[in-house]
Amino acid sequence: MSVPDYMQCAEDHQTLLVAVQPVGIVSEENFFRVYKRVSSVSQVSVRDSQRVLYIRYRHHYPPENNEWGDFQTHRKVVGLITVTDCFSAKDWPQTFEKFRMQKEIYGSTLYDSRLFVFGLRGEIAEQPRTDVAFYPSYEDSETVEKRVEDFIESLFIVLESKRLDRATDKSGDKIPLLCVPFEKKDFVGLDTDSRHYKKRCQGRMRKHVGDLCLQAGALQDSLVHYHMSVELLRSVNDFLWLGAALEGLCSASVVCHYPGGTGGKTGARRFQGSSLPAEASNRHRPGAQEVLIDPDPFFSPSRLAGALTTNGINPDTSAEIGRAKNCLSPEDIIEKYKEAISCYSKYKNAGVIELEACVKAVRVLAIQKRSMEASEFLQNAVYINLRQLSEEEKIQRYSILSELYELIGFHRKSAFFKRVAAMQCVAPSISEPGWRACYKLLLETLPGYSLSLDPKDFSKGAHRGWAAVQVRLLHELVYASRRMGNPALSVRHLSFLLQTMLDFLSDQEKKDVTQSLENYTSKCPGTAEPITLPDGLVLPPVPFTRLPIVRRVRLLNLPASLRPRKMKSLLGQNVSTKSPFIYSPIIAHSRGEERSKKIDFQWVQGDVCEVQLMVYNPMPFELRVENMGLLTSGVEFESLPAALSLPAESGLYPVTLVGVPRTTGTIAVNGYHTTVFGVFSDCLLDDLPGIKAGGSTVEVIPALPRLQISTSLPRSAHSLQPSSGAEISTNVSVQLYNGETQQLVIKLENIGMEPLEKLEVTSKILTTKDGISVSGFPLCSPFRQVARPRVESRPVNPTEGSKPGDPGHTKTLEAILHFKYSGGPGHSEGYYRNLSLGLHVDVEPSVFFTRVSTLPATSSRQCHLLLDVCNSAEHELTVSARSEDELILRAGECQRMAIQVDKFNFESFPASPGEKGQCANLKQLEEERQEARGLEINSKLDIRWRIPSLKRTGEASVEGLLSQLVLEHLQLAPLQWDVLVDGQLCDCEAAACHVGDPISLEVRLTNRSPRSVGPFALTVVPFQDHQNGVHNYDLHDAISFVGSSTFCLDAVQPSGQSACLGALLFLYTGDFFLHIRCHEDGSGKELPQSWFCLPSVHVRALQAQA
C-alpha cells in the first residue's frame, strides 16, 4: 500500500467503505450532485436490531490499497455505486458492460453493487432490477437516498453472514492464513501443521473477526476478539498483525469512549465532500483528500466539548454501564497505540500503516488534550520513510502535518509545515508552479508566526513573534503575489512589511525595501482601500503612520489679528437649554468628555486654519512626503496638501498642515493623509501610538471680514508687549528727535469676502519710559495719526547731565491703535475681530531748557521771558521763537534767549474736566490748570528748532519748567489799569505835550475778577530817569498838578469799570515819567500785589509853539 489516507481516524475502523464512481462520460457537476446525495446516507440503523452501520464513501480509491482488506477490513471496498448517463436504448448494452468492468476492479472484495442510470426511458427502464436504478433525469430522482439505504442493508446481510461464519468455532476445519500482499512470498514452504503456524492463523483470524464485528456494530464482541488475537499473535511474535490487533483494540475502545468521534474538523471534511464541481478535478488525482462522513452526526465537536472532561472521557457514569471490561482506559489506548506503531516500524512495507496509526493516535490525544505526547507521535510520523512521493503528495503530507499540529495547539510548528507545503507548490521540479496555492498556504501560516494582516494589531503593546522569520515570510508573500500577477497585493504586503517591521530592518534592508516599493508603485500605486481576495479574505489598508513618525498634533489658533471675539452682551446667549434640569450628572459627564477634546478657541469659515505636527524621519536617507493634508469630519473642509522633505534620521521637525472650512459647525481633525513611496495613506490620530494631542475638535463660526493693515512707516522687529498680554498684529517703528512731528498714514484693506459693516478705532499710550510724554495723538480722517513725542524738560544741574533720565539720552515711546471691526454672517452672530497696530518711537535728544525766568517789559501787558537753552543733539541746530531771528547752537552748547511776550489772561481759558466737578482732588485740579496754562504759553511762544544738516525740524516745549512764580509774572492781572494822557492811551510809547499847556490825565480801572474791589486812592509821582540808574523825584519846579496829585476810585463791581480824572502842567521841556501808586483800603490788602501793576507813563514835554 503506497497511498496514505491522512484523514484516517480511529472510528473509521467501524465503517464500511463504499466507492462511488462515474461510468462513461458524466459531467462533474451532475456526478457530484449525486455523490452529495449518496454520501448524505452516512449511517443506517439495522432493522430489528440496535446496531448501526457507518458508511465511508470515496469517489477515488487506489486498487492496491484494496489488497490490504484482509489486514484491516475498513480498507476493503465492500460496495460500489456507479453513476452514468444513458439516453438511448442502443447505448444501454455498452453502458452495462462498462459497469461490469468497473466491478471487476474491486470484484474480490465487493459485497454488492449498484448502477444509477440517468436519462434512459422506455422498456428497458421499466424492467425491475435490483442492481440497476433508472431515473429520467437528475432532477427527477427522489428515491436515490432510499435505494442507497436498501443497498447498505444488503451490504449488512453479507457482512453479518461473513462475521457469523468466521466467528463460529469449527475445530475440524482448517483456518486459512490471512496475509498482506508482501507476505505471500515469505510463507511459501512453511510447515502448515506446526503449532506455531496454527496459532498464527488463529490469531490473524481472530483479529479479522474483530474487524468484522466492529463494522457490524457488535462492539463488545470485537473487543473480546481483539484481546484474544493480541494474546495469540504476541505468543508467536507476529508483530505486523499484532500491531493491527492492538490498533483494532484501540479503535474499538475509542469508539466506546468517544462516541462523538476524534475526526476533529469534521465540518471541514464535509465541505470537501460537498464542494462545488469546480474543485472536483482535484479529487480524481491519486492521494487527493476525499470525504469522510462523521459516523454520528448527532455528536458534534462543539456539543462534545461541553460533555468531556480534560482527558476526553464523558463524566456521566451511567454511560459506562454496559461497557465491556475489555475496553481500554484512555491512558491504555495511547500505550497500545505506541506498541502497535512500534510493531509496524519493524516492517519497511508497512510505512503507510504506521503513518496512519500515528495520525489516529494524534487525533485521540488531541481529544484528551495531551499535546506533548501528540507531538511525539507527529514527530515520528515526520520521519517515516515512504516511497518516492510526488510533489503533490508532498504538499498533501505537509499540509496534513500542519493541520494536526494546529489541532494540538502547536501553532508555530503548524505554520512551519504549512510554509514548507507552500514552498513545495512552487518547487523547481514542477513544470507549472502553483503560485496561487503557494500564496494561499502562506496566508494560512500568518497566525502561527504571530502575524496579522491588520497593522492595528502591531500598534498595541510589545512586538510578538520572531521578527526575522516574519520579515522572511512577508518577503515570500510579496514575491508570490508578484508571480501571481497581482501587483496591488505586492504593494500591500511590502507596505505592511515596511510599516510593522521597520524597527527590525537594517539600514541596507530599509533602502532595498523602499526601492522595491517604489518600483512596484510606479506601475500600481498603493491605495488606502481594502483589498478583497477571491476566497473572501479582506486585506485592510496599511497607513504609513511611521513614515514619518508623528509625535505631537496641535491645532493652532488663528493669528491675533484674525481671532474672533464674542460681544460681551452675547456671551451668555449660547447656553444650552435642551435639558430641563439645572444639573444632570450624565450631561455633566458627557460635557466633560467633550470639553477635554474641544479647544477653547474658534476657527472662522473661509479662513485658512492650521494644524501643527511634530514629525521625524526614522529612515537612514532623505524621506520625501507628498500630498500631505488633513482628514476631518463634521464640517465641509478644503484641505490644502503640502509636500516636505525630511533629512535622514532627523529630530523632531514641525510641519504645518492648512485647510479652509467651508461651512460652520464643530470640526473634528481625525488625522492626516500622505503619499510616501507611491503609497497613499490615511493616518488616523487614534491609530498613532504615543501621540500627544491637545484636543482635536474646534468650533467653526460664520465668516467675518478680514482687514489688512499697512502704514507709511517701516515694520518693526520690536514687538510690543502690553500688560494685558494681548498680541499685536503689526508693529511699526520710527526714530524722531525730541519735539519732532511725524505723520503716520494707516491704510486698511478688506481682503476677505464679507463686507465691513462696523469699525471702531481706539488708541492707547503705553507706560512711557524715562520721562517721555506725548504732546498729541489725535485721529484724523481717513485714519491719519500724528505723533509728537517730547521729553519733559526739568531744571537739571549741568554736572548731572550724564545721569539716567537726562534729556541727553535716547528715550522710548510705545503706543497701540486698536481697530475693532465686524461684518457678514459673523456680525449677526455677535462676533468681531480686533486689529492692533503697535507704534515704537525712539526719541533722540534735541534741545532742552535748563532755566526759565521773567523780566518786566515797558508795557504792563507784556514781559520778557528768559530761557537758558542747551543743544543735546550731536548736530548743530538753530532755535527760533515766533519765526524771529534764529539762535545758532553747536553740539552741547548752551545760551540764553529772551522773548518778549504778551501776558496771558488765564481766567478766560475754558474749564478743565476737573473743574466741572469730575475730579474732587484739589491737587490734581491745580496740576490740570497748570498744564493747560503751559500748553497755551507753549503754543504762543512757538519755539522751534532746526537741524540744517539733517533737514529735520521740531518744536521745543517749556511746559515742565514753568514755576508758579513765572506763571504769575506771565499772567495778565484781573484788574486792568489803563492810563490816558490827553485822551490817548499811554502804555509803551511816550505821550507828547507842550510846555505850559495843561494836559488831562485819566486812570481807568476794569474789574475782570469775580469779586468787587476798591475803593482805591491813586497818587501820581513824577520823576526823571537820567539813564544812569538815578531817578530824580524833586520836580516841584518842573511839574505842577492842576488840582490834587491824589485821585480816588470808588468800589468797582465784577466786570465793572471806574475812572478818575486829573490834569498836569509841564513847565520845562524834557522826558518825564509818571509813577502811579495805588493806596488800598483795608479790604484791598487781601489782593495780590501783581494785580496793581499800573503802567509807567512816559511824557515828553516839548517847546511851546510860538
Side-chain angles (χ1 to χ4, degrees):
M1 189 167 66
S2 59
V3 182
D5 184 359
Y6 294 102
M7 303 306 296
Q8 283 271 325
C9 49
E11 56 269 20
D12 286 348
H13 284 249
Q14 68 175 345
T15 61
L16 297 176
L17 180 58
V18 175
V20 182
Q21 296 177 342
V23 173
I25 301 175
V26 180
S27 67
E28 290 184 353
E29 181 181 359
N30 291 334
F31 172 74
F32 282 103
R33 188 193 304 178
V34 176
Y35 182 82
K36 182 178 180 180
R37 296 179 62 185
V38 170
S39 59
S40 65
V41 186
S42 58
Q43 60 184 33
V44 177
S45 298
V46 180
R47 296 177 185 177
D48 303 329
S49 173
Q50 295 182 351
R51 287 188 285 178
V52 179
L53 290 181
Y54 297 95
I55 316 300
R56 190 170 89 257
Y57 296 94
R58 290 286 184 271
H59 55 73
H60 174 81
Y61 194 73
E64 59 268 24
N65 286 11
N66 196 47
E67 296 176 0
W68 289 70
D70 289 338
F71 182 72
Q72 291 176 324
T73 57
H74 71 283
R75 301 181 184 278
K76 182 188 303 183
V77 178
V78 297
L80 175 64
I81 297 177
T82 56
V83 180
T84 186
D85 287 338
C86 184
F87 300 101
S88 62
K90 63 178 181 179
D91 296 333
W92 167 244
Q94 183 180 0
T95 300
F96 190 77
E97 179 61 23
K98 291 180 180 179
F99 168 59
R100 189 187 61 79
M101 294 173 61
Q102 193 75 16
K103 287 195 297 183
E104 290 178 357
I105 298 177
Y106 307 104
S108 60
T109 60
L110 284 181
Y111 293 170
D112 201 357
S113 60
R114 291 290 186 272
L115 172 63
F116 291 167
V117 182
F118 294 89
L120 186 62
R121 301 172 184 269
E123 182 180 351
I124 298 177
E126 294 174 358
Q127 295 177 0
R129 302 188 58 164
T130 58
D131 58 341
V132 181
F134 296 96
Y135 298 100
S137 64
Y138 288 95
E139 290 75 17
D140 187 12
S141 55
E142 293 83 3
T143 61
V144 168
E145 289 81 359
K146 182 64 174 63
R147 288 182 176 271
V148 171
E149 290 179 4
D150 294 342
F151 172 66
I152 298 304
E153 290 181 357
S154 68
L155 295 180
F156 172 74
I157 294 172
V158 179
L159 174 65
E160 183 67 9
S161 64
K162 287 182 176 290
R163 184 185 74 85
L164 294 175
D165 180 59
R166 298 187 179 183
T168 303
D169 184 12
K170 299 178 180 180
S171 57
D173 296 340
K174 187 175 182 180
I175 301 175
L177 178 64
L178 302 177
C179 300
V180 296
F182 70 86
E183 285 183 323
K184 293 179 180 179
K185 60 180 179 179
D186 297 334
F187 291 154
V188 176
L190 287 180
D191 183 6
T192 58
D193 295 328
S194 66
R195 184 176 179 183
H196 186 277
Y197 180 82
K198 290 181 180 180
K199 277 192 174 184
R200 183 189 296 251
C201 294
Q202 290 176 0
R204 293 189 177 188
M205 184 56 69
R206 282 288 181 184
K207 187 266 172 195
H208 181 67
V209 174
D211 288 348
L212 295 177
C213 291
L214 186 59
Q215 286 183 309
L219 182 62
Q220 310 302 332
D221 294 345
S222 67
L223 287 170
V224 173
H225 287 291
Y226 282 137
H227 274 287
M228 295 175 63
S229 173
V230 167
E231 296 299 328
L232 290 171
L233 295 174
R234 195 188 302 276
S235 65
V236 294
N237 294 331
D238 191 354
F239 294 111
L240 180 62
W241 286 78
L242 173 62
L246 291 170
E247 187 181 357
L249 181 60
C250 292
S251 298
S253 300
V254 167
V255 170
C256 186
H257 282 295
Y258 310 108
T262 63
K265 300 178 181 180
T266 55
R269 289 186 286 153
R270 280 203 184 104
F271 176 77
Q272 292 176 357
S274 60
S275 57
L276 296 178
E279 303 175 1
S281 59
N282 295 333
R283 300 186 178 90
H284 289 284
R285 297 195 300 267
Q289 299 306 311
E290 299 181 11
V291 69
L292 177 62
I293 303 302
D294 190 347
D296 192 352
F298 179 79
F299 289 92
S300 63
S302 60
R303 294 188 61 180
L304 190 64
L308 301 180
T309 58
T310 54
N311 63 351
I313 301 299
N314 192 327
D316 187 5
T317 55
S318 62
E320 301 293 330
I321 300 175
R323 288 185 177 174
K325 60 181 179 179
N326 295 316
C327 180
L328 300 177
S329 66
E331 292 76 13
D332 290 341
I333 292 175
I334 304 306
E335 293 302 322
K336 298 303 181 184
Y337 263 124
K338 290 181 180 179
E339 185 180 354
I341 291 171
S342 176
C343 294
Y344 291 148
S345 64
K346 300 178 185 298
Y347 298 89
K348 181 179 179 180
N349 294 325
V352 173
I353 304 296
E354 180 186 359
L355 177 61
E356 291 181 356
C358 289
V359 171
K360 297 170 189 175
V362 168
R363 297 188 187 279
V364 175
L365 286 169
I367 291 291
Q368 297 179 0
K369 301 181 181 179
R370 296 160 65 180
S371 301
M372 293 305 297
E373 294 180 61
S375 68
E376 295 176 3
F377 280 94
L378 275 179
Q379 193 66 24
N380 180 64
V382 171
Y383 292 108
I384 293 176
N385 229 348
L386 301 179
R387 61 172 178 80
Q388 188 66 27
L389 298 178
S390 65
E391 299 298 336
E392 188 175 353
E393 290 171 335
K394 291 179 182 178
I395 296 170
Q396 181 188 10
R397 182 179 185 181
Y398 295 136
S399 298
I400 294 300
L401 287 173
S402 171
E403 292 180 9
L404 293 174
Y405 272 114
E406 182 73 22
L407 186 64
I408 63 175
F410 282 39
H411 304 295
R412 193 165 59 222
K413 198 83 167 182
S414 170
F416 169 79
F417 280 103
K418 190 153 290 186
R419 179 170 168 268
V420 173
M423 294 298 102
Q424 203 66 46
C425 292
V426 291
S429 57
I430 299 180
S431 58
E432 296 182 2
W435 287 106
R436 293 189 180 277
C438 172
Y439 178 79
K440 183 178 180 182
L441 289 173
L442 286 176
L443 284 180
E444 295 175 1
T445 65
L446 297 180
Y449 289 115
S450 301
L451 263 179
S452 166
L453 292 178
D454 190 351
K456 293 181 181 179
D457 297 338
F458 287 81
S459 61
K460 304 171 184 176
H463 187 86
R464 296 178 60 247
W466 292 346
V469 177
Q470 292 171 342
V471 170
R472 177 71 179 273
L473 181 59
L474 289 173
H475 274 297
E476 291 170 352
L477 279 173
V478 171
Y479 186 75
S481 56
R482 183 176 71 85
R483 293 300 300 269
M484 285 167 54
N486 194 335
L489 273 182
S490 302
V491 171
R492 181 59 52 88
H493 291 309
L494 206 53
S495 303
F496 182 85
L497 188 155
L498 196 58
Q499 167 69 15
T500 58
M501 301 295 167
L502 188 63
D503 295 338
F504 306 101
L505 298 178
S506 65
D507 289 351
Q508 186 59 42
E509 287 174 332
K510 291 177 182 177
K511 293 179 182 179
D512 295 341
V513 170
T514 54
Q515 185 176 1
S516 299
L517 184 58
E518 287 179 331
N519 292 336
Y520 285 130
T521 54
S522 63
K523 302 175 182 177
C524 179
T527 65
E529 301 298 327
I531 297 178
T532 304
L533 300 180
D535 58 356
L537 180 65
V538 178
L539 300 184
V542 181
F544 276 157
T545 59
R546 307 188 65 190
L547 295 172
I549 296 177
V550 177
R551 283 293 178 230
R552 185 160 56 253
V553 177
R554 184 164 64 97
L555 277 66
L556 300 182
N557 199 351
L558 294 174
S561 60
L562 297 179
R563 293 174 189 171
R565 292 171 172 82
K566 190 77 171 176
M567 300 287 185
K568 291 184 179 180
S569 59
L570 300 176
L571 286 176
Q573 293 185 3
N574 57 353
V575 177
S576 175
T577 57
K578 293 181 180 179
S579 174
F581 301 103
I582 297 176
Y583 173 77
S584 170
I586 300 175
I587 297 177
H589 178 69
S590 62
R591 286 180 181 172
E593 291 181 348
E594 292 177 2
R595 198 176 296 115
S596 64
K597 293 184 179 180
K598 199 167 184 177
I599 302 177
D600 57 355
F601 56 78
Q602 294 91 23
W603 285 349
V604 180
Q605 175 187 0
D607 284 6
V608 175
C609 304
E610 298 178 335
V611 177
Q612 186 184 70
L613 282 68
M614 298 301 293
V615 304
Y616 73 90
N617 173 21
M619 304 300 281
F621 50 84
E622 182 182 18
L623 180 65
R624 290 180 52 82
V625 183
E626 300 174 351
N627 192 34
M628 192 172 188
L630 294 172
L631 297 175
T632 61
S633 62
V635 168
E636 183 182 344
F637 187 81
E638 179 186 355
S639 179
L640 306 177
L644 59 144
S645 180
L646 299 175
E649 297 179 349
S650 66
L652 282 178
Y653 187 86
V655 175
T656 302
L657 302 181
V658 299
V660 180
R662 295 302 181 187
T663 57
T664 61
T666 299
I667 185 172
V669 177
N670 302 322
Y672 60 93
H673 61 80
T674 60
T675 300
V676 181
F677 305 128
V679 178
F680 186 82
S681 303
D682 286 341
C683 306
L684 301 180
L685 297 184
D686 294 340
D687 298 338
L688 300 181
I691 189 69
K692 294 181 180 179
S696 58
T697 61
V698 66
E699 182 184 359
V700 179
I701 68 165
L704 287 168
R706 200 160 63 244
L707 291 187
Q708 177 177 290
I709 189 170
S710 59
T711 68
S712 57
L713 295 180
R715 287 183 176 268
S716 172
H718 178 80
S719 179
L720 302 188
Q721 298 294 334
S723 58
S724 62
E727 296 184 23
I728 307 300
S729 54
T730 305
N731 291 273
V732 295
S733 63
V734 64
Q735 181 184 12
L736 299 177
Y737 282 91
N738 185 24
E740 186 179 4
T741 300
Q742 173 73 45
Q743 180 174 278
L744 172 61
V745 179
I746 302 172
K747 178 183 178 182
L748 295 176
E749 181 182 359
N750 185 5
I751 59 175
M753 303 300 294
E754 302 300 328
L756 182 65
E757 301 178 16
K758 181 179 180 181
L759 176 64
E760 296 180 8
V761 185
T762 57
S763 63
K764 180 181 180 181
I765 307 296
L766 300 184
T767 304
T768 55
K769 306 174 183 177
D770 298 329
I772 291 184
S773 64
V774 178
S775 63
F777 208 63
L779 287 176
C780 308
S781 179
F783 311 124
R784 286 193 179 90
Q785 184 63 42
V786 180
R788 186 174 65 239
R790 71 174 186 273
V791 178
E792 294 181 357
S793 300
R794 298 188 178 95
V796 178
N797 190 331
T799 61
E800 298 176 355
S802 61
K803 291 183 179 181
D806 192 293
H809 290 173
T810 301
K811 317 298 180 181
T812 301
L813 168 68
E814 293 179 344
I816 300 177
L817 272 177
H818 295 287
F819 301 90
K820 179 180 176 181
Y821 65 96
S822 183
H827 178 61
S828 303
E829 295 293 330
Y831 289 96
Y832 69 93
R833 279 176 167 157
N834 196 3
L835 185 64
S836 302
L837 174 64
L839 176 63
H840 178 85
V841 182
D842 291 325
V843 183
E844 298 289 341
S846 57
V847 297
F848 67 97
F849 303 99
T850 60
R851 182 182 178 187
V852 179
S853 60
T854 59
L855 285 178
T858 56
S859 172
S860 63
R861 298 180 182 275
Q862 294 180 333
C863 69
H864 293 283
L865 187 64
L866 303 180
L867 302 173
D868 291 343
V869 57
C870 291
N871 177 13
S872 58
E874 298 177 352
H875 305 273
E876 182 182 277
L877 54 77
T878 63
V879 181
S880 63
R882 295 186 296 191
S883 303
E884 295 179 357
D885 294 340
E886 295 181 340
L887 177 66
I888 300 176
L889 295 175
R890 291 187 296 272
E893 183 181 3
C894 294
Q895 291 190 29
R896 175 169 289 183
M897 64 183 300
I899 307 172
Q900 182 176 334
V901 296
D902 296 331
K903 290 187 177 181
F904 299 90
N905 183 14
F906 295 140
E907 301 299 332
S908 65
F909 291 169
S912 63
E915 298 181 56
K916 294 181 180 179
Q918 297 182 7
C919 178
N921 192 334
L922 296 179
K923 184 178 179 181
Q924 184 177 354
L925 176 60
E926 184 59 32
E927 289 179 354
E928 291 180 358
R929 285 177 176 173
Q930 189 168 343
E931 181 181 355
R933 294 169 182 174
L935 287 174
E936 176 67 16
I937 294 171
N938 202 61
S939 62
K940 291 293 181 64
L941 293 177
D942 191 21
I943 304 174
R944 304 193 65 82
W945 56 262
R946 182 171 62 88
I947 303 177
S949 61
L950 301 179
K951 297 182 180 180
R952 306 281 286 271
T953 62
E955 68 174 35
S957 174
V958 295
E959 294 175 28
L961 297 173
L962 299 175
S963 63
Q964 185 64 33
L965 180 60
V966 173
L967 288 174
E968 289 180 359
H969 290 167
L970 292 175
Q971 182 177 7
L972 191 63
L975 299 183
Q976 182 176 339
W977 302 89
D978 296 318
V979 179
L980 289 76
V981 177
D982 200 13
Q984 295 182 357
L985 185 64
C986 185
D987 188 8
C988 298
E989 298 179 356
C993 67
H994 296 279
V995 175
D997 292 339
I999 59 173
S1000 62
L1001 179 65
E1002 183 182 358
V1003 179
R1004 295 177 183 175
L1005 172 60
T1006 303
N1007 184 10
R1008 299 182 183 274
S1009 69
R1011 56 183 291 183
S1012 175
V1013 295
F1016 301 104
L1018 304 177
T1019 301
V1020 179
V1021 180
F1023 69 92
Q1024 277 187 315
D1025 187 358
H1026 296 296
Q1027 301 296 322
N1028 57 359
V1030 178
H1031 292 175
N1032 182 14
Y1033 290 93
D1034 187 12
L1035 298 176
H1036 297 288
D1037 296 335
I1039 300 174
S1040 176
F1041 286 92
V1042 180
S1044 176
S1045 63
T1046 300
F1047 305 92
C1048 293
L1049 283 175
D1050 296 331
V1052 183
Q1053 299 300 321
S1055 302
Q1057 192 175 32
S1058 180
C1060 61
L1061 296 173
L1064 290 172
L1065 182 63
F1066 290 89
L1067 303 178
Y1068 296 97
T1069 60
D1071 288 330
F1072 300 93
F1073 294 91
L1074 302 178
H1075 180 61
I1076 304 175
R1077 295 176 180 176
C1078 182
H1079 303 280
E1080 312 168 62
D1081 59 2
S1083 61
K1085 293 181 179 179
E1086 299 177 359
L1087 301 177
Q1089 188 64 34
S1090 60
W1091 287 25
F1092 301 98
C1093 295
L1094 276 75
S1096 180
V1097 180
H1098 182 195
V1099 179
R1100 182 171 295 162
L1102 303 175
Q1103 185 65 37
Q1105 296 179 355

